[in-house]
């Protein structure tokens, strides 16, 4: 069993293990040799020929040394993913970083350092690690299976050479049977021998270790299932508006590789209400305290309408998907007319928060207005104005809301069909016609009779992440199995006890008839070794000497 | 006075106790004069291992650094009986077996009924003060919890208080089973520094939580992480001391780093001197290694649990159980490095010093995760109100 069982290149000594007593380490090792190869695997070079090479490569890959190197390499590889902004979590930050570092950015980008966790080199490391894992664990499962059925090696002749050994003389002829019964009652696996017995316990250590490693593999399978068949999208919904779960309604949508985005579960909802509260006092003034969106939803187009409050940490589960509340903001209701008096806009407009006090920016583009109108707005829930900061907000709740507008006319460039961002106004080629602050209910007459802007009121919007991950159940089950396996592996110790009973030699040199010499010894390899206590207990059960009275 | 103010008072009182405990442990450590080895204690893997350096059989100071406290197994008891020569010898054999397997750092002293030497008394005082400091800190946390009406680890200030309590708590639990006074100085310093950072840099007077933290997972996930942090710290302290003891043992066996000339040589010999000084006051390298392993092996499943509980919570809060947020990434890195540590201990050529270094790297990753990520990285986890 020296090759390919994972322990292969160890010298068979478990972590932190200590062997004592007069027996040489080799003698003691021999008694537990089947717990793992006792011999150091010689690293012979590959024999010529393709199979020789293959076998050699496989052995290298499945060695403990490689596993260790890959583990540390994976840790190292993950670091740039936490230092540099990542496209998957924050694409805007990536763009900003690239703009700030035009020299280094293209190289880093080429290396995939803005997408570390989906980069091929990152995948290569963990795939190699898991290949190594499979190559390591499968043979160990087989070896463990055999070891559980193989008898424990018989007691050596002289047990007193082991660290934890006791010896005494008794007149009880049944002492061996008593020992066997006591050990079996304590759930030891007993292998009887000639005038001796061998008992073993703690097979769950290796079982747990194997369970742990296999569970790691299953976690990976669960993650992969999610990446292949799951999907995730985000959408902003204004209070009073609705959402139906089809691809076109999402602001952004990322399907798994094998997801069919045209067959999303057909639920829908309307956000009937949204509330947010903020800390009013103390050093944490302005910190968010609660968000809640009330949704009226249907799990199928024909099913009944149900209501549910969705808040952070409390998602809506519907039709195999989950709806999470992830953000919110203000949507001022604006009514815009052009120079002819025609209403070109009468609706709530989503403004994006820019700071913790929810100063939020938004844009109105009216290419149909006469003349074409563009508005940049800054919504401040609690408005303030000073030299240093200009218009700003001093509190996130709408205590004193206002919108600061900047109005522009000219060709908005929306007719040529190039896509444009709804949250920014490209002012190149536009002419600024005025600035004004507007409070709810107020109307701003645009200079030169270009039209009017009325701040009718405001509402809230909320952003939702909607996702489905068919692999997460498996990943969770496997994670729990991993913890169980790991705990068994680290807290159970595999150990052996031997008992040997010989007739005591009489004074005349022949064996005496009614005196027996009893020897008991224990051995363990794992670090948390205290087979001592178990030897003590057995000795006590057999009527042997208590601690300190050893008569050897 | 509000409960929060009372909590602060308890925090300050606890810090004062920690400071006194630190003085006591420092005195104990400094006065533990121990000579060269006269008696081999635990030897590792048979007779070929170098004998333990630094415990003088004729010095009472042995007891300062190494007397086992639990007499449950009868070892101390045996040492105190009438015929020390015979019985103590038998007890010694047993104690060697046990001490070597990691359960007791060193040998009992037959003369342990004699008056306590000064170093030992200071160590005892240090232990008592540490208990008092810990109790005060727990009271501070409980008052804070009563005031805020929630688990007392809702922001960085409170995390840090709880972490200091966890470091000491893990140490005290270990101290119930074996004598670890030699580690007291490091542990008390770590707790005190954590408290100092909390009070000076992170103070937060809000009872409220940001919405993302309002979940029973706050109790489970964060508690697991905090306790794991305490154990990581104790494990790292044992590892550092192991490295010192190992260096001293290698130096005295002639297998240490070779002498060099020039300034590098001075650094090297200064290191040797420091290691020898420290090693004379702590158990032998093998016991320290075993102790560090035990603590880290206990903490690894707990950390695994903390990470998984965090993933479950993230799934509830953000719609994905894993998103490579900086906090998550560093939790993963920490986990991998500690897995590497456990692996290294079963890999030929990596046991001992190299494995210990990996363990210390893991601890550094943990610190980056606990403090660095909150202070410097922006991500979903940086909400906790620094
Ligand atoms: C995903 C990668 C892996 C992780 C996170 C991991 C983690 C761990 C941990 C935490 C332990 C300690 C538990 C114990 O001591 O029983 C362990 C033990 C072990 N692992 Fe892995 N492992 C991984 C891959 C591998 C691979 C690829 C191999 C084979 C080459 C392997 C072989 C072993 C062996 C033989 C032990 C038992 C060591 C002992 O006797 O204590 N592991 N692993």
């Amino acid at each position: 069993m020296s090759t390919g069982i994972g322990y292969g290149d160890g010298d068979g000594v478990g972590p932190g293990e200590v062997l004592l007593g007069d027996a040489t380490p080799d003698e003691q090792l021999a008694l537990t040799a089947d717990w793992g190869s006792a011999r150091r695997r010689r690293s012979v070079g590959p024999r010529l020929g393709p199979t020789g090479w293959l076998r050699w490569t496989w052995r290298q890959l499945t060695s403990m040394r490689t596993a260790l190197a890959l583990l540390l390499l994976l840790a190292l590889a993950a670091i740039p993913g936490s230092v540099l902004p990542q496209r998957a979590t924050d694409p805007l930050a990536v763009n900003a970083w690239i703009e700030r570092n035009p020299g280094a950015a293209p190289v880093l980008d080429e290396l995939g350092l803005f997408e570390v966790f989906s980069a091929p080199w990152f995948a290569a490391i963990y795939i190699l690690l898991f290949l190594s894992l499979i190559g390591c664990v499968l043979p160990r499962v087989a070896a463990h299976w055999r070891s559980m059925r193989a008898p424990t090696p018989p007691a050596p002749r002289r047990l007193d050479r082991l660290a934890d050994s006791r010896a005494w003389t008794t007149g009880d002829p049944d002492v061996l049977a008593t020992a066997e019964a006591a050990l079996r009652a304590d759930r030891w696996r007993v292998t009887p021998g000639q005038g001796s017995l061998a008992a073993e316990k703690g097979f769950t250590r290796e079982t747990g270790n194997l369970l742990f490693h296999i569970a790691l593999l299953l976690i990976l399978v669960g993650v992969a299932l999610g990446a292949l068949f799951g999907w995730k999208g985000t959408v902003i919904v204004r209070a009073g508006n609705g959402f139906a779960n089809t691809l076109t309604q999402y602001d952004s949508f990322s399907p798994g590789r094998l997801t069919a985005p045209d067959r999303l579960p057909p639920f829908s909802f309307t956000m009937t209400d949204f509330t947010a509260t903020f800390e009013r006092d103390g050093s944490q003034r302005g910190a968010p305290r609660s968000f809640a969106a009330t949704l009226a939803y249907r799990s199928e187009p024909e099913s009944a309408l149900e209501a549910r409050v969705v808040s952070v940490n409390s998602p809506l589960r519907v039709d195999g998907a989950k709806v999470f509340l992830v953000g919110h903001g203000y949507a001022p209701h604006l009514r815009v007319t052009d120079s002819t008096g025609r209403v070109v806009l009468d609706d709530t407009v989503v403004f994006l928060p820019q700071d913790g006090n929810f100063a939020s920016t938004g844009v109105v583009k009216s290419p149909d207005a006469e003349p074409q109108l563009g508005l940049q707005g800054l919504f401040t829930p609690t408005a303030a104005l000073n030299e240093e900061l200009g218009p700003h907000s001093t509190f996130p709740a709408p205590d004193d809301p206002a919108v600061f507008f900047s109005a522009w006319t000219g060709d908005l460039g929306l007719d040529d069909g190039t896509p444009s961002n709804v949250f920014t106004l490209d002012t190149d080629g536009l002419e600024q016609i005025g600035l004004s602050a507007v409070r709810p209910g107020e109307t701003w007459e645009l200079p030169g009779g270009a039209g009017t802007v009325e701040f009718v009121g405001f509402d809230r919007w909320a952003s939702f992440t909607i996702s489905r991950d068919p692999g997460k159940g498996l990943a969770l089950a496997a994670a729990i199995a991993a913890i169980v396996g790991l705990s068994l592996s680290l807290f159970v110790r595999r150990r052996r006890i031997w008992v040997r009973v010989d007739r005591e030699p009489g004074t005349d040199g022949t064996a005496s008839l009614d005196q027996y010499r009893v020897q008991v010894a224990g051995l363990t390899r794992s670090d948390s070794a205290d087979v001592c206590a178990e030897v003590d207990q057995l000795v006590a059960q057999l009527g042997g000497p208590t601690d300190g009275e050893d008569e050897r | 006075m509000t409960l929060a103010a009372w909590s602060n008072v308890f925090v300050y009182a606890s810090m004062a106790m920690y400071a006194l405990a630190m003085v006591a442990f420092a005195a104990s450590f400094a006065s533990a004069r121990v000579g060269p080895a006269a008696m081999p204690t635990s030897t590792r893997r048979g007779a070929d291992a170098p004998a333990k350096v630094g415990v003088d059989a004729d010095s009472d100071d042995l007891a300062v650094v190494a007397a086992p406290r639990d007499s449950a197994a009868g070892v101390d008891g045996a040492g105190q009986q009438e015929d020390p020569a015979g019985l103590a010898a038998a007890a010694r054999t047993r104690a060697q077996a046990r001490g070597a397997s990691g359960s007791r750092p060193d040998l009992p002293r037959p003369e342990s009924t004699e008056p306590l030497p000064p170093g030992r008394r200071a160590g005892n005082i240090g232990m008592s003060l540490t208990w008092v400091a810990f109790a005060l800190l727990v009271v501070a946390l409980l008052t804070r919890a009563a005031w805020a009406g929630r688990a007392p680890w809702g922001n960085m200030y409170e995390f840090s208080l709880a972490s200091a309590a966890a470091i000491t708590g893990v140490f005290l639990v270990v101290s119930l089973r074996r004598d670890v006074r030699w580690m007291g100085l490091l542990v008390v310093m770590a707790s005190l520094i954590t408290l100092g950072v909390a009070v000076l840099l992170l103070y937060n007077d809000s009872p409220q939580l940001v919405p993302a933290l309002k979940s029973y997972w706050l109790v489970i996930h964060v508690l697991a992480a905090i306790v794991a942090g305490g154990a990581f710290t104790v494990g790292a302290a044992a590892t550092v001391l192991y490295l010192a003891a190992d260096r001293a043992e290698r130096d005295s066996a002639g297998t240490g780093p070779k002498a060099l000339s020039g300034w590098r040589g001075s650094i090297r010999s200064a290191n040797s001197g420091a290691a020898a000084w420290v090693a004379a006051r702590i158990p032998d390298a093998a016991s320290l290694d075993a102790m560090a392993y035990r603590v880290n092996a206990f903490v690894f499943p707990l950390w695994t649990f903390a990470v998984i509980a965090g993933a479950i919570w993230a799934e509830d809060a953000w719609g994905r159980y894993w998103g490579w947020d900086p906090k998550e990434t560093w939790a993963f890195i920490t986990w991998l490095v500690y897995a590497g540590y456990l692996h290294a201990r079963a890999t030929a050529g990596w046991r001992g010093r190299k494995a210990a270094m990996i363990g210390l790297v893991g601890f550094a990753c943990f610190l980056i995760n606990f403090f660095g990520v909150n202070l410097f990285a922006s991500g979903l986890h940086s909400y906790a109100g620094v």
Side-chain angles (χ1 to χ4, degrees):
Chain A
M1 36 195 297
S2 64
T3 54
I5 61 157
Y7 291 78
D9 60 350
D11 63 21
V13 182
E17 169 219 353
V18 178
L19 293 170
L20 269 180
D22 303 327
T24 65
D26 276 351
E27 280 177 301
Q28 302 216 16
L29 270 178
L31 288 168
T32 52
D34 54 324
W35 288 353
S37 166
R39 268 159 296 126
R40 187 181 283 260
R41 182 160 83 197
R42 255 178 295 154
S43 66
V44 260
R47 252 178 301 136
L48 287 180
T51 47
W53 272 102
L54 269 179
R55 184 170 301 153
W56 182 81
T57 312
W58 182 246
R59 260 197 221 167
Q60 294 303 313
L61 182 65
T62 56
S63 75
M64 281 296 273
R65 209 179 292 268
T66 309
L68 176 59
L70 288 172
L71 272 173
L72 297 180
L73 200 60
L74 191 61
L76 206 62
I79 293 178
S82 76
V83 177
L84 292 170
Q86 297 292 298
R87 284 218 172 82
T89 42
D90 200 348
L92 295 180
V94 174
N95 293 343
W97 201 95
I98 290 176
E99 254 167 53
R100 267 183 284 123
N101 305 277
V107 182
L108 299 187
D109 207 2
E110 198 59 38
L111 292 173
L113 288 172
F114 299 113
E115 282 142 324
V116 166
F117 303 107
S118 49
W121 49 267
F122 191 79
I125 299 174
Y126 70 74
I127 288 172
L128 278 179
L129 181 57
F130 276 94
L131 272 182
S132 171
L133 183 73
I134 295 169
C136 170
V137 160
L138 288 184
R140 276 174 63 203
V141 169
H144 184 48
W145 179 254
R146 283 196 302 273
S147 142
M148 283 202 294
R149 340 197 99 222
T152 306
R157 183 157 299 282
R158 294 203 41 202
L159 286 177
D160 61 347
R161 288 164 61 80
L162 298 182
D164 268 312
S165 70
R166 302 294 202 85
W168 72 97
T169 305
T170 179
D172 176 8
D174 295 329
V175 63
L176 195 61
T178 315
E180 178 166 352
L183 287 166
R184 282 196 198 277
D186 239 356
R187 304 220 314 282
W188 288 74
R189 194 198 70 176
V190 179
T191 312
Q194 263 312 4
S196 71
L197 64 79
E200 183 157 6
K201 219 178 186 180
F203 292 93
T204 37
R205 178 186 183 86
E206 180 71 355
T207 313
N209 187 293
L210 293 171
L211 176 65
F212 168 70
H213 285 88
I214 293 170
L216 291 181
L217 206 61
L218 292 179
I219 293 180
L220 191 73
V221 172
V223 172
L225 279 181
L228 290 178
F229 299 104
W231 47 265
K232 174 174 177 166
T234 57
V235 60
I236 288 181
V237 180
R238 287 166 291 158
N241 289 30
F243 168 82
N245 191 33
T246 56
L247 194 54
T248 50
Q249 297 236 333
Y250 281 99
D251 296 331
S252 74
F253 188 81
S254 41
R257 274 169 216 218
L258 301 178
T259 312
D262 50 336
R263 284 200 311 243
L264 300 181
F267 62 86
S268 60
F269 63 79
T270 301
M271 184 163 86
T272 53
D273 190 24
F274 185 88
T275 55
T277 59
F278 300 92
E279 178 71 54
R280 295 229 162 240
D281 306 302
S283 70
Q284 297 291 303
R285 186 180 140 82
R289 290 306 172 217
S290 71
F291 316 131
T294 310
L295 302 187
Y297 70 97
R298 290 180 207 279
S299 29
E300 312 255 332
E302 279 79 42
S303 54
L305 203 59
E306 294 169 75
R308 169 85 156 68
V309 176
V310 174
S311 58
V312 182
N313 285 319
S314 168
L316 165 69
R317 277 155 230 262
V318 56
D319 217 359
K322 276 176 150 187
V323 180
F324 303 88
L325 175 63
V326 292
H328 69 109
Y330 291 96
H333 182 179
L334 305 177
R335 205 178 123 92
V336 181
T337 60
D338 66 4
S339 60
T340 66
R342 192 164 58 92
V343 176
V344 293
L345 173 75
D346 186 3
D347 202 355
T348 49
V349 179
V350 171
F351 276 43
L352 298 181
Q354 305 297 316
D355 62 24
N357 284 325
F358 277 76
S360 313
T361 56
V363 159
V364 173
K365 298 178 193 179
S366 299
D368 302 334
E370 188 53 50
Q372 290 193 20
L373 261 184
L375 295 171
Q376 289 171 320
L378 176 73
F379 175 86
T380 51
T382 303
L385 189 61
N386 65 21
E387 294 264 312
E388 187 196 345
L389 296 172
H392 63 280
S393 172
T394 56
F395 194 72
D399 293 346
D400 180 18
V403 185
F404 296 82
F405 282 113
S406 164
W408 303 73
T409 58
D411 181 7
L412 295 178
L414 293 180
D415 305 330
D416 59 5
T418 46
S420 72
N421 188 329
V422 296
F423 293 111
T424 58
L425 181 70
D426 182 2
T427 54
D428 274 0
L430 300 186
E431 184 198 344
Q432 191 173 34
I433 56 172
L435 292 168
S436 179
V438 190
R439 300 206 179 255
E442 290 179 0
T443 302
W444 176 32
E445 303 277 347
L446 292 177
T452 61
V453 177
E454 182 186 354
F455 180 16
V456 181
F458 63 90
D459 222 323
R460 309 255 197 173
W461 56 261
S463 58
F464 296 94
T465 291
I466 304 174
S467 68
R468 184 176 137 74
D469 183 343
K472 73 187 174 200
L474 176 61
L476 178 62
I480 293 170
I483 296 186
V484 171
L486 187 60
S487 307
L488 290 175
S489 165
L490 289 169
F491 300 139
V492 173
R493 56 226 190 271
R494 190 151 172 194
R495 53 229 192 261
R496 288 178 173 166
I497 287 185
W498 289 276
V499 182
R500 176 174 277 288
V501 179
D502 300 300
R503 280 183 194 271
E504 190 76 74
T507 36
D508 54 358
T510 60
S512 81
L513 287 180
D514 50 0
Q515 287 296 303
Y516 302 90
R517 178 138 185 94
V518 187
Q519 299 178 76
V520 179
L523 197 57
T524 185
R525 270 238 202 128
S526 39
D527 179 69
S528 41
D530 234 354
V531 75
C532 243
E534 288 171 317
V535 171
D536 284 349
Q537 190 194 342
L538 180 65
V539 169
Q541 278 167 330
L542 299 181
T546 50
D547 203 0
E549 299 168 35
D550 195 344
E551 42 172 280
R552 59 180 144 127
Chain B
M1 220 158 87
T2 65
L3 281 174
W6 276 111
S7 168
N8 295 349
V9 169
F10 286 121
V11 170
Y12 290 128
S14 163
M15 286 176 75
M17 287 300 150
Y18 273 117
L20 291 177
M22 198 168 87
V23 172
F25 278 129
S28 159
F29 209 73
S31 66
R33 267 175 298 98
V34 187
M39 176 171 62
T41 60
S42 53
T43 49
R44 199 175 153 85
R45 287 190 207 125
D48 54 350
K52 157 82 169 124
V53 181
V55 176
D56 184 344
D58 296 325
S59 159
D60 277 317
D61 288 328
L62 172 61
V64 174
V65 293
R69 291 186 52 191
D70 75 337
S71 52
V75 176
D76 270 351
Q80 286 164 4
Q81 289 182 9
E82 294 288 36
D83 168 22
L87 295 186
R92 186 170 305 147
T93 323
R94 308 280 295 157
Q96 275 181 5
R98 298 172 181 207
S101 60
S103 59
R104 290 171 194 82
D106 257 302
L107 293 187
R109 289 288 294 161
E111 299 85 350
S112 59
T113 46
E114 288 181 7
L116 293 175
R120 178 164 187 163
R121 184 170 307 128
N124 284 344
I125 294 173
M127 283 309 292
S128 309
L129 287 170
T130 309
W131 277 104
V132 174
F134 176 70
L136 284 168
L137 192 52
V138 169
V139 172
L141 283 167
L142 290 177
T143 352
R144 184 95 187 167
W147 168 69
R150 57 168 169 76
W153 40 79
N155 51 48
M156 275 287 274
Y157 169 66
E158 295 169 359
F159 287 150
S160 305
L161 293 191
S163 303
I167 296 170
T168 320
V170 169
F171 167 73
L172 289 174
V173 167
V174 176
S175 82
L176 293 177
R177 300 201 47 217
R178 66 196 65 194
D179 183 1
V180 283
R181 270 168 295 194
W182 43 269
M183 212 163 60
L185 185 58
L186 277 187
V187 166
V188 164
M189 268 163 60
S191 307
L192 194 54
I193 290 172
T194 312
L195 283 178
V197 170
V199 168
L200 296 178
L201 302 179
L202 303 172
Y203 186 70
N204 182 322
D205 64 0
S206 172
Q208 300 281 350
L209 291 177
V210 296
L213 287 181
K214 282 186 187 153
S215 165
Y216 55 88
W217 286 108
L218 171 68
V219 180
I220 301 169
H221 161 69
V222 182
L223 182 61
I226 286 173
V227 175
F232 277 145
T233 310
V234 172
T239 307
V240 168
L241 294 178
Y242 157 73
L243 286 174
D246 177 70
R247 172 69 179 269
E249 288 178 14
R250 281 183 302 129
D251 278 344
S252 73
T255 56
K258 283 191 210 64
L260 287 175
S261 58
W263 59 274
R264 283 163 63 219
S266 337
I267 293 181
R268 193 163 274 186
S269 63
N271 279 346
S272 288
W277 189 84
V278 171
R281 289 156 172 81
I282 55 179
D284 61 307
S287 312
L288 288 168
D289 191 37
M291 160 117 187
Y293 170 71
R294 281 188 171 207
V295 175
N296 285 335
F298 156 79
V299 76
F300 188 77
L302 187 63
W303 183 248
T304 310
F305 171 78
V307 172
I308 291 170
I312 298 173
W313 185 9
E315 212 273 331
D316 251 16
W318 301 318
R320 85 289 183 291
Y321 57 85
W322 198 267
W324 299 110
D325 177 87
K327 196 92 172 173
E328 291 167 351
T329 304
W330 278 98
F332 176 69
I333 293 172
T334 306
W335 185 80
L336 280 177
V337 176
Y338 272 99
Y341 164 81
L342 293 178
H343 259 225
R345 298 187 56 103
T347 306
W350 280 83
R351 275 178 219 110
R353 243 174 317 144
K354 283 192 204 165
M357 297 306 276
I358 298 179
L360 289 184
V361 170
F363 184 61
C365 292
F366 169 79
L367 288 182
I368 291 176
N369 193 27
F370 219 57
F371 293 107
V373 171
N374 283 51
L375 298 178
F376 303 115
S378 74
L380 289 168
H381 277 86
S382 48
Y383 44 68
V386 169

